[in-house]
Amino acid sequence: MHKPLPKTIATIVALILGSSLAACSFEPKLRVPPAPSDKTPYTAGKSPQKTVAPGGTAGKAQSFQYGAELHEEWWKLFHSKALDTLITTGLKNSPTIAAAQAQMREAQATARANASIFYPQITGNLQANRSKVTGATFGGSGGIHYSLINGSIGVSYYPDIFGVNRLVYRNSEELVKYQRWELEAAKLTLTGNIVTTAVDEAATEEQIQATKAIIAKEKQLLKLTENQYRVGAIDYSTVMTQKGQMASELATLPPLEQQLTVYRHELAILVGAFPANVKHQNFTLSALKLPEKIPVSLPSKLLQQRPDIRAVMAQMKAANAQIGEARAQFYPTVQLSASFGDAASHPGIFFDPVSSIWSLVGALSQPIFQGGKLEAQEAEARAAYDVTYANYRSTVLNAFDQVANGLRAVDHDAQTLAAEREALQASQEALKLAQASYRVGATDYLSLLTAEVQYNTAKIAEIKAQSQRYQDTAALLVALGGGWWNHPDVKTASKPDPKHS
């Protein structure tokens, strides 16, 4: 006949057997703001469908392909090998990316450590002791020497009766996902910064070349003005006015060259290199191809494709699990532990059956009075969830704002470039007529100077309009998520899914 289990152990076993009834999850149902439907427009008013065609460099029309899939490496839509090389280097060497990767590994290690709570914890112990005690303890005299060798294996286990362990691990899993999306967001931000900085460099370089060409024309005009002064056709004040105009143009060159240096240094830092060591790529706007068809994700897809939205969603799930953890603290905690081994006064009898020792312990801990601590912890967890809930709404609204602004910006950029090109062509023709008239004395110098200033202003404005069109196109592609989900290296589990899990 078997001996009955000790009362404590019987109680623990009964709890474990009844865990199927008691182990209901304390985690509340996830509360998520309603997702917009695909019929929800990004912009107020009619959504743009196709831009105008301004003509010239970066002058083709762009159409918006709603519902189309974005290229896996969005920057390749610009068809620039120099840009592709720079981004590949940046993704490999950027310290920002390295830090995000390390944070993800840290979160993964934490999750593995928390997963250990599902398994029994086994510890080995070996101890040898040589002691002397006084014989007076036993009513005698003198001293008593003795040795004790103790070896044991201890096992402890926390049964997950109320699902606390699962909640702790779920929290860790969601934090791993959060870091995964933070890494993807860091990559998207890095590639976007590289593209926009490269466009800034190209635009500044073209402004410098345009300014140098303007200065060369100013010098020619100054020489012509001086010749006219020598023959008495104009007074000396006209010569000084032209010198002042040329000096003004010369003064615009150093700031542009400084800005070009800054952009090149920024590109070096973005790719993880020192400014002095990077091999500069001479970007030009004409070397970039403006994407003529821009895939625009549907609103429901945007929630799944934006890394920052996915990251905040993971934070919400982690915070929801923490509410369950806080609620579970009101209920008992069960611990089972056991140890077995041998204890002997001499190595020769260490493995003798009479030297064997063992213990089996079941412990149950139930909070009774905590001075309101547990209630406060649950309130804290719920408030933390409300924070992530609000952050999620804010992140979604910002994402839609960025896409809406990007759509309008690309549309308006085309209109701006068309107007700037028309202004440039008109000012160029006006300058040619003014120069011809000035040479033959049919017009005064003030008319020529006015035509010259208008042309110079129009030339720089056209370059800026071109670069803005490239930058806003890049910003729109980044706002749409960048197409990471179509990359072959992306695991299926990380791809967007209809349930937005």
Side-chain angles (χ1 to χ4, degrees):
M1 184 175 178
H2 296 288
K3 295 181 178 180
L5 289 171
K7 185 176 181 181
T8 302
I9 303 303
T11 302
I12 299 302
V13 171
L15 285 172
I16 296 175
L17 292 176
S19 62
S20 59
L21 298 176
C24 57
S25 176
F26 293 104
E27 182 181 12
K29 183 179 179 180
L30 187 67
R31 179 168 50 94
V32 181
S37 69
D38 289 337
K39 295 181 179 180
T40 304
Y42 283 111
T43 63
K46 186 178 180 180
S47 299
Q49 302 295 323
K50 189 174 183 178
T51 70
V52 299
T57 304
K60 294 184 178 180
Q62 293 177 288
S63 61
F64 302 101
Q65 309 293 310
Y66 293 95
E69 282 291 337
L70 192 59
H71 192 281
E72 62 191 42
E73 295 175 323
W74 65 270
W75 58 89
K76 291 189 175 180
L77 294 175
F78 292 95
H79 298 280
S80 171
K81 291 184 178 180
L83 191 61
D84 295 346
T85 300
L86 199 62
I87 289 179
T88 299
T89 304
L91 291 173
K92 180 181 179 181
N93 298 331
S94 170
T96 303
I97 301 301
Q101 291 171 334
Q103 288 174 326
M104 187 174 70
R105 294 195 301 270
E106 179 184 10
Q108 290 171 335
T110 301
R112 291 196 300 270
N114 288 338
S116 65
I117 200 170
F118 293 111
Y119 304 94
Q121 307 298 304
I122 303 175
T123 305
N125 179 55
L126 180 63
Q127 181 179 2
N129 182 33
R130 177 69 175 172
S131 301
K132 174 186 176 183
V133 298
T134 176
T137 305
F138 305 100
S141 60
I144 301 174
H145 295 78
Y146 71 94
S147 299
L148 182 64
I149 302 174
N150 191 330
S152 63
I153 294 177
V155 181
S156 61
Y157 179 60
Y158 293 86
D160 196 20
I161 296 176
F162 299 106
V164 178
N165 298 348
R166 292 192 296 276
L167 290 170
V168 172
Y169 183 67
R170 184 176 301 173
N171 182 19
S172 301
E173 279 187 316
E174 294 303 330
L175 292 179
V176 170
K177 293 178 182 178
Y178 168 76
Q179 293 298 340
R180 160 75 177 86
W181 299 121
E182 284 291 282
L183 172 60
E184 203 62 54
K187 291 179 180 179
L188 186 59
T189 300
L190 176 68
T191 54
N193 288 340
I194 290 176
V195 172
T196 54
T197 306
V199 172
D200 280 331
E201 178 187 343
T204 305
E205 178 66 36
E206 292 203 11
Q207 289 183 60
I208 289 173
Q209 297 306 318
T211 302
K212 288 181 177 179
I214 291 170
I215 291 172
K217 292 180 181 179
E218 294 284 358
K219 290 181 178 179
Q220 294 176 359
L221 185 57
L222 176 61
K223 185 176 181 179
L224 174 62
T225 305
E226 290 174 337
N227 290 339
Q228 289 182 324
Y229 168 72
R230 291 189 186 97
V231 298
I234 58 175
D235 57 21
Y236 188 67
S237 63
T238 303
V239 176
M240 297 306 297
T241 301
Q242 179 57 33
K243 282 187 176 181
Q245 176 65 20
M246 188 179 71
S248 297
E249 291 294 343
L250 283 170
T252 63
L253 194 57
L256 287 173
E257 292 176 336
Q258 171 61 22
Q259 193 61 59
L260 179 63
T261 300
V262 170
Y263 288 138
R264 287 178 174 172
H265 290 171
E266 286 181 359
L267 281 176
I269 301 304
L270 287 171
V271 300
F274 289 102
N277 297 339
V278 72
K279 182 179 179 182
H280 295 296
Q281 302 280 357
N282 292 322
F283 293 101
T284 60
L285 294 179
S286 58
L288 297 173
K289 181 180 178 181
L290 192 72
E292 297 179 34
K293 296 181 179 180
I294 302 178
V296 180
S297 303
L298 296 176
S300 62
K301 290 290 186 181
L302 185 67
L303 302 185
Q304 305 167 34
Q305 295 169 354
R306 285 272 300 219
D308 54 345
I309 295 177
R310 297 288 294 267
V312 181
M313 173 60 74
Q315 283 185 316
M316 286 180 63
K317 292 181 178 180
N320 204 52
Q322 287 182 326
I323 294 176
E325 291 180 44
R327 293 174 64 180
Q329 298 303 315
F330 289 90
Y331 293 85
T333 300
V334 177
Q335 179 183 7
L336 300 179
S337 60
S339 66
F340 58 92
D342 292 276
S345 59
H346 190 275
I349 61 173
F350 184 74
F351 293 103
D352 193 289
V354 298
S355 301
S356 64
I357 57 175
W358 61 270
S359 68
L360 182 63
V361 179
L364 185 146
S365 175
Q366 169 64 54
I368 297 176
F369 177 73
Q370 300 288 328
K373 174 183 176 181
L374 299 183
E375 291 84 354
Q377 288 177 339
E378 183 179 356
E380 179 185 13
R382 291 186 179 278
Y385 181 84
D386 290 339
V387 171
T388 61
Y389 184 92
N391 288 340
Y392 180 85
R393 292 187 62 231
S394 178
T395 303
V396 170
L397 291 174
N398 287 335
F400 275 72
D401 179 58
Q402 291 171 5
V403 174
N405 289 340
L407 289 170
R408 291 301 185 195
V410 171
D411 189 26
H412 292 151
D413 288 341
Q415 299 174 25
T416 301
L417 181 56
E420 295 294 357
R421 281 193 57 78
E422 185 176 352
L424 177 62
Q425 291 171 355
S427 62
Q428 189 174 25
E429 289 299 320
L431 178 59
K432 288 179 181 179
L433 292 174
Q435 288 173 337
S437 299
Y438 183 70
R439 289 190 182 95
V440 298
T443 188
D444 60 7
Y445 175 75
L446 182 59
S447 298
L448 174 61
L449 183 59
T450 301
E452 183 184 358
V453 170
Q454 289 177 344
Y455 171 76
N456 296 347
T457 303
K459 181 62 178 176
I460 299 300
E462 190 217 22
I463 294 173
K464 290 181 178 179
Q466 290 181 36
S467 66
Q468 192 63 49
R469 199 176 188 204
Y470 282 113
Q471 288 187 332
D472 285 336
T473 299
L476 176 58
L477 295 173
V478 170
L480 291 167
W484 57 267
W485 56 92
N486 289 322
H487 199 282
D489 294 339
V490 176
K491 295 181 180 179
T492 303
S494 297
K495 291 180 179 292
D497 61 84
K499 296 181 180 179
H500 188 29
S501 60

